[in-house]
């Protein structure tokens, strides 16, 4: 199985769970969009920097047969799906577990 296909499943699941949590907890998308967007930008930048550092230092590498091909410097594009999942999955789980939603 290719990493891209697996990543699409996880991204779809985390976004779906995020939307379900918004609906169940009566949280407006407008109230959470700015922090979610800024978190996504920060995590994508950190992923770009640290993945490239780790790959260039030889800590790990990927088999090309499981990748789509596009890269940002040395980091495969599939690596950027993990921060997307984290940004949507973490708050969804927090809210569904009883955590306090953001102030409106």
């Amino acid at each position: 199985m290719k990493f891209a296909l697996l990543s699409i499943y996880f991204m779809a699941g985390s976004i779906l769970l995020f939307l379900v949590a918004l609906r169940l907890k009566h949280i407006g998308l407008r109230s959470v969009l700015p922090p979610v967007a800024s978190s996504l930008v920060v995590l994508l930048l950190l992923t770009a920097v640290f993945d490239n550092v780790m790959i260039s230092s030889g800590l790990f590498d990927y088999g090309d047969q499981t990748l789509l091909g596009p890269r940002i410097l040395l980091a495969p594009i599939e690596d950027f799906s993990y921060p997307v999942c984290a940004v949507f999955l973490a708050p969804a789980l927090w809210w569904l577990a009883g955590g306090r939603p953001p102030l409106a």
Side-chain angles (χ1 to χ4, degrees):
M1 178 180 284
K2 297 231 181 235
F3 283 132
L5 185 58
L6 195 58
S7 298
I8 288 171
Y9 291 145
F10 277 103
M11 281 192 297
S14 63
I15 291 169
L16 180 63
L17 190 64
F18 181 81
L19 295 173
V20 166
L22 288 177
R23 179 83 171 171
L24 288 176
K25 297 299 181 174
H26 306 289
I27 301 169
L29 183 60
R30 287 186 180 161
S31 67
V32 296
L33 195 56
V36 167
S38 60
S39 297
L40 184 59
V41 168
V42 168
L43 284 177
L44 288 173
L45 287 172
L46 288 170
T47 299
V49 170
F50 288 107
D51 274 16
N52 281 293
V53 167
M54 290 187 292
I55 292 169
S56 67
S57 67
L59 289 175
F60 62 90
D61 197 5
Y62 294 94
D64 288 334
Q65 68 276 9
T66 60
L67 300 175
L68 287 176
R71 293 178 180 257
I72 296 177
L73 298 176
L74 297 173
I77 199 76
E78 290 87 348
D79 270 1
F80 294 90
S81 66
Y82 305 124
V84 172
C85 291
V87 163
F88 291 108
L89 188 62
L93 292 175
W94 172 256
W95 297 326
L96 291 172
R100 187 171 52 114
L103 300 173

